Every structure is written in C-alpha cells, then in structure tokens.
Amino acid sequence: MSSIAVPGALAPRRAWLTDLPVLLVAVVWGASYLAAKDITTARTVVAVLVLRFALVLPALALAAHRSLRALTAAQWRGAGLLGLVLSGIFLLETYGVVHTSATNAGLIISLTMILTPLAEAAVTRTRPSRAFLGAAGLSVLGVVLLTQGGGVTRPSLGDLLMLLAAVARTVHVLAMARLKAVRGADALSLTTVQLGAAVAVFAVLSAGAETTPWGVAAGFGPREWAGLLFLSAFCTLFAFFVQMWAVRRTSPSRVSLLLGTEPLWAAAAGILIGGERLAALGLLGGALVLVGTAWGRRAAG
C-alpha cells in the first residue's frame, strides 16, 4: 500500500489480510511457552536463551545496519539499558515456565495488560476509572483461582516467577515510553540493540555455568532443534517484522487487540498439545483472567 491506513478505513477483506498475520503472531507467542518448556530445563535456561537469540541477532543486525549507524551515543546507552531489563524478563519467563504449566504461564503473564495502566496511573498521579479497577480486581481474582489447582495451595515457584515477569514487562513498557534517550530511535534498531544487550547478559551468565550453550546444542535432537528454531524464527524474527508491517497498515489498537489473544492460545496449546489439565477452579480462574484483561484493555483505551 502506498498510502497510510486510517483506523477503520480498510475494506473487510483487506483488513483480514492484515489481521491474519498479526493473529498468527499471537498464536505462535501463545505456543512459545509450551515450546520453551519442552526444550528447557532449570539447568539449561541460560544456554537455551543464548542459542535462541544468537540465531536471530545477525539477521536483525543486517536489516538494521543503516539505522544502527544513525543512533546517537545516548540512544545506544538507552537501548542497552532497556536490553538489561529485557534480559531479566526473559530469564524470569523461561525459569517460570520450567516450574509451572504453559497454560498458567500464558495466563499469568497477560496481567501485564492490567499492571501497565495501573503503574502508568501511579507515575502520572492519575486515578484509574472504576471500570478499570473492577477489571484489575477480576484479573487478580482469576490468577488466585488459577494457581490454586484442585484446592487451596501456595502458588508454585513458576507462578511467582511469571508474576514477577509480568511486573518486569510493565517496567520495560514504561521505560520505553518515558526514557528520553531512546526517543526518535526507530523500532528496528532499538530492538536490535536491546536483544544484543540481552544476549551479552546471557553469554556472561553462561560463562560461569556448568551447562554451556554449545554443550546444550550438541545434545539437541531434531525435536529440540525444531523447538529452538520455532522460538527464534517465528516467535522472535517473524513476530517483530509482522508487527512493524501491520502497524503501518492498520491501527495500533487493532494490533494490540489481536495480540491480546495470546493467553488464549497459550492455554489452548498447553491443554490440546501439551496434555495439561485444569481443574474446575483453574478453568474458572483462567476465564476470569481472560475476561478481566479484555475488559481492562477496553476501559484503559
């Protein structure tokens, strides 16, 4: 398309041609929790993260080589700082999914959509609407029920790590929006520097670990390599470029709405493919999380 898309102006057929790739991103992101769980153990988390992002970083750097040269020193430092936060997010998410179910992981991380507006309201000292507070309360209740399983129990270590990952995602979103150093930097170069910084953190951590990336790679069979390539090519490279392509052809709110279905696909992958099961209490909790985050998104918008 040669013209800038106006929200709501696309013909139904052309809109769906844009929506389908974005929806596919939500599907692969939802499936990423099960894929990560399938190829990762508590001992190999850092090594798998090195492999996952080192595979796509050269392609991103090649695509962004011109815009990277245009970054100022302050933008490099700002993007690097964001990359440190990003490395923490991936560590929490990956360790989290190792210690909980893919279903729980996808649903709990969706709380980012509630936590971010709440944190933004706290920073700007504005009061959220009653509707949004109701949606936040419903989501929190859903997570409590989801993590109880068949009865009243303590949340697992993985559940707590995923909750911390949701908090870290919120910090990352707010930092990107408010960090003056990265304003004016294009999305491709900003993402490339962030991932580069995250890979550097993972490489440093793996240097002192018993399990090395090359040792893990040598032990991978076809199934593990397929999972790793899925996480690298589809959940990282494909997802990023689809988002860049889509926001130029439709509205950011429409893209956000479609990507917001990620927890639904995470639950579907965990239950249908991973053979995970939710008791009645967990099913109710998962439903409340989905309803609460959808309601909260609309109330915040």
Side-chain angles (χ1 to χ4, degrees), residues 26 40 80 96 128 140 145 190 209 217 219 265:
T40 313
V140 171
L145 294 177
L190 186 60
W265 302 113

Side-chain angles (χ1 to χ4, degrees), residues 51-103:
L51 294 171
R52 172 180 174 178
F53 294 107
L55 286 176
V56 298
L57 193 58
L60 283 174
L62 182 63
H65 72 282
R66 290 183 180 177
S67 56
L68 285 172
R69 290 201 298 267
L71 292 178
T72 65
Q75 288 172 332
W76 275 94
R77 289 192 297 269
L81 179 61
L82 290 173
L84 296 180
V85 179
L86 191 64
S87 68
I89 294 171
F90 283 119
L91 285 167
L92 287 168
E93 286 184 355
T94 311
Y95 275 113
V97 79
V98 167
H99 294 289
T100 190
S101 67
T103 303

Side-chain angles (χ1 to χ4, degrees), residues 143-291:
V143 169
V144 171
L145 294 177
L146 177 68
T147 57
Q148 297 312 297
V152 179
T153 59
R154 291 183 180 179
S156 70
L157 173 61
D159 295 332
L160 294 175
L161 289 173
M162 294 308 300
L163 185 57
L164 288 175
V167 173
R169 275 197 187 189
T170 298
V171 172
H172 186 255
V173 171
L174 290 181
M176 281 198 298
R178 302 181 69 85
L179 196 62
K180 293 181 180 179
V182 298
R183 290 177 186 173
D186 72 290
L188 180 57
S189 59
L190 186 60
T191 300
T192 303
V193 176
Q194 286 187 81
L195 285 182
V199 170
V201 171
F202 302 147
V204 169
L205 292 177
S206 68
E210 181 182 346
T211 307
T212 62
W214 49 89
V216 170
F220 273 0
R223 176 174 175 172
E224 288 78 14
W225 275 111
L228 182 65
L229 291 174
F230 172 75
L231 291 170
S232 297
F234 287 94
C235 301
T236 306
L237 200 60
F238 168 77
F240 172 73
F241 282 109
V242 165
Q243 287 181 86
M244 285 189 62
W245 170 81
V247 294
R248 293 186 175 97
R249 288 162 174 79
T250 185
S251 67
S253 60
R254 191 178 181 95
V255 172
S256 176
L257 184 63
L258 292 166
L259 293 179
T261 63
E262 175 191 344
L264 179 62
W265 302 113
I271 294 170
L272 299 178
I273 301 175
E276 297 176 354
R277 294 290 181 268
L278 285 176
L281 200 62
L283 287 171
L284 176 60
L288 290 179
V289 171
L290 294 174
V291 171

